[in-house]
Amino acid sequence: MVNTMPIQQTTAPLMKLPSDQDASGRTLGAEEIALLTEAIQSGTLTSTKGTFVKALEKQFADLLGVKYAYACSSGSAAVHTAIAAIDPEPGDEIITTSITDMGALTPILYQGAIPRFADVDPVTWNVTAKTIERCINDRTKAIIVTHLFGNPCNMTEILAVANTHGIPVIEDSAQAFLAQHDGQYTGAMGAVGCFSLQQGKHITTGEGGLVTTNDDALARRMFLYINKAFGYGDPNPDHYFIALNYRMNELQGAVALAQLPKLQGVVDRRRAAAAKLTAKLQGLPGIATPQLDPRNLHVYWKYCLRVDASLIAEGAVGLARKLKAEKGIFSAPRYIQKPAFQCEIFAQQRTFGNSHFPFTLAQPAAVDYNPNLFPGTFTGLEEVLVLPWNEAYTDQHIDYIAEAVQQAVRSLAY
Ligand SMILES: *Cc1c(COP(=O)(O)O)cnc(C)c1O
């Protein structure tokens, strides 16, 4: 061992923040183990015969106040199921957002439809009625909105535009469990809601998903789509159309069922922690805390700052570097490194063999990814700093994060 002098003497040891990637920041415990044990002892691990997934579906539908909920294998599967239920013709367009998880986008291509990227509001990073309306044309089959970071899109205005044109709206609520707009839950306002139970979401089964709807016909098609389109329970069941096995199993169902009663508490604690951080960072020059529509209830999947690069050296990237170096806080400047349409899958149209299908059917305007058409997206990604967020944060954690940001801002201020 070479004895070296520390380059910089830190005044206090680094604090380890609870993480959603391990037990420190997850609500998994005795309740999950008890139901999981019950599932294993039952010997029935498939949801077609078991009781846990069915109970989860019933309780999740009741919680959101919707008629139907179906569990599936992931959030990506949930979005795929929603699109398959709406059943676009090849080449139909589905309006989506340039800032979201790839799992919300690839299902569009798998169903032979063309993603039409709408720009976002640079302050909320969400699509708006205005950015969506510009994309609507006679090929538009559906709209998928992502309630990004747990902050709802303006569904009042979006549904008004969509309804005028008779276009269904799919709400990707993977990051927005129990978020509300104007008193209504996200995932319960549009034609279909989609949720993810992936490791890093509000509640988790490692992998898993849910779809919700009030529409009888969409519910029937979604149930079938998750089940290889086999008409379980029908007098003469058949495989009615092209579909996959997207089922959740009973092990996941048992864990999800135990997680569900904890969800409201998770949301409440994340919101309370966020309010405390916002109060501490209010008025810090060069930093903007989340700007909330008073009709919105934000559930803080992540806590995002906007960083003004004209006041802070190297903007969000500079701030992130400081937080990591000085305090061991891992934040994400830019969230996703680039807008979705700049990823190879879209930019190079890497789909099925060398066919470029379904892009071969696209109208030129639908695949025009000229950056000038996406000012909100580029500004939004430039400015955003995503702080890791968790329901297990204590006042000490919040103080630590607040002081880290204040110090970093002071040292980087022009
Ligand atoms: C996580 C996520 C998905 C995909 O969910 P998986 O369970 O990872 O497949 C889709 N959309 C959004 C907005 C997400 O955050």
Side-chain angles (χ1 to χ4, degrees):
M1 272 285 281
V2 183
N3 196 4
T4 53
M5 287 292 290
I7 293 165
Q8 196 186 351
Q9 199 70 49
T10 47
T11 49
L14 300 184
M15 191 180 272
K16 194 182 174 305
L17 297 171
S19 163
D20 60 21
Q21 299 302 299
D22 60 44
S24 67
R26 301 284 66 188
T27 53
L28 300 163
E31 301 79 6
E32 285 74 14
I33 292 170
L35 291 191
L36 190 54
T37 303
E38 227 183 279
I40 291 170
Q41 285 173 343
S42 77
T44 304
L45 302 188
T46 173
S47 61
T48 58
K49 301 285 186 325
T51 58
F52 289 95
V53 169
K54 286 188 184 77
L56 169 70
E57 292 172 340
K58 167 87 173 69
Q59 290 183 24
F60 193 68
D62 289 350
L63 179 62
L64 281 204
V66 294
K67 216 161 151 188
Y68 305 95
Y70 295 112
C72 56
S73 54
S74 70
S76 308
V79 175
H80 196 174
T81 299
I83 294 168
I86 286 169
D87 202 18
E89 294 298 324
D92 279 355
E93 293 181 11
I94 296 185
I95 296 172
T96 182
T97 167
S98 48
I99 306 182
T100 189
D101 186 279
M102 194 52 71
L105 298 172
T106 41
I108 299 172
L109 297 172
Y110 272 108
Q111 283 309 113
I114 312 291
R116 177 100 176 204
F117 292 100
D119 197 15
V120 302
D121 176 339
V123 172
T124 62
W125 306 281
N126 276 335
V127 288
T128 68
K130 269 208 184 75
T131 64
I132 288 170
E133 192 157 32
R134 272 185 239 137
C135 299
I136 294 177
N137 64 77
D138 57 9
R139 289 234 215 152
T140 310
K141 184 71 175 183
I143 297 162
I144 308 180
V145 302
T146 293
H147 302 297
L148 203 67
F149 304 125
N151 185 35
C153 297
N154 187 333
M155 290 302 290
T156 308
E157 291 180 7
I158 290 172
L159 284 174
V161 167
N163 292 342
T164 304
H165 295 272
I167 302 167
V169 177
I170 298 168
E171 290 180 84
D172 183 347
S173 308
Q175 305 178 359
F177 279 96
L178 301 186
Q180 294 178 29
H181 172 75
D182 208 12
Q184 288 189 280
Y185 284 128
T186 52
M189 290 177 270
V192 180
C194 301
F195 297 83
S196 166
L197 295 167
Q198 215 275 332
Q199 176 75 41
K201 303 296 160 72
H202 285 79
I203 52 172
T204 187
T205 56
E207 310 291 347
L210 287 150
V211 288
T212 52
T213 190
N214 283 309
D215 183 292
D216 298 339
L218 288 173
R220 169 72 176 161
R221 278 192 64 90
M222 292 201 291
F223 167 79
L224 287 170
Y225 193 72
I226 291 166
N227 286 284
K228 301 179 224 173
F230 188 71
Y232 286 97
D234 290 359
N236 296 301
D238 193 357
H239 294 279
Y240 301 125
F241 52 83
I242 180 172
L244 295 155
N245 175 355
Y246 267 167
R247 286 192 287 266
M248 176 181 277
N249 68 48
E250 288 287 281
L251 302 174
Q252 295 165 301
V255 173
L257 198 58
Q259 284 272 279
L260 202 54
K262 303 179 182 182
L263 177 57
Q264 187 65 59
V266 167
V267 165
D268 293 345
R269 292 196 294 282
R270 281 175 178 249
R271 284 173 46 74
K276 285 178 189 162
L277 184 64
T278 296
K280 286 178 186 292
L281 297 182
Q282 213 57 260
L284 197 59
I287 295 289
T289 53
Q291 188 178 309
L292 299 182
D293 181 329
R295 286 167 297 180
N296 276 7
L297 191 146
H298 187 329
V299 294
Y300 292 95
W301 180 60
K302 303 288 177 198
Y303 185 107
C304 295
L305 294 170
R306 280 182 299 128
V307 184
D308 183 346
S310 73
L311 295 175
I312 291 173
E314 287 185 78
V317 171
L319 192 56
R321 195 185 300 130
K322 264 270 183 290
L323 290 177
K324 184 173 149 216
E326 308 278 326
K327 295 289 179 181
I329 296 172
F330 289 83
S331 61
R334 304 193 65 82
Y335 175 48
I336 48 173
Q337 288 311 301
K338 51 194 176 191
F341 51 76
Q342 289 188 342
C343 293
E344 283 188 35
I345 174 178
F346 304 107
Q348 314 293 328
Q349 304 184 340
R350 297 250 163 75
T351 52
F352 304 98
N354 291 315
S355 71
H356 297 267
F357 180 86
F359 292 108
T360 41
L361 306 174
Q363 315 183 81
V367 290
D368 183 354
Y369 304 143
N370 185 331
N372 295 332
L373 299 170
F374 301 93
T377 299
F378 284 94
T379 302
L381 289 179
E382 202 61 47
E383 292 181 345
V384 71
L385 183 70
V386 184
L387 294 176
W389 209 244
N390 200 270
E391 60 274 14
Y393 284 179
T394 62
D395 286 353
Q396 283 86 343
H397 296 128
I398 306 293
D399 288 347
Y400 184 74
I401 295 169
E403 279 159 27
V405 173
Q406 285 157 353
Q407 261 180 39
V409 165
R410 269 198 301 275
S411 73
L412 293 169
Y414 283 124

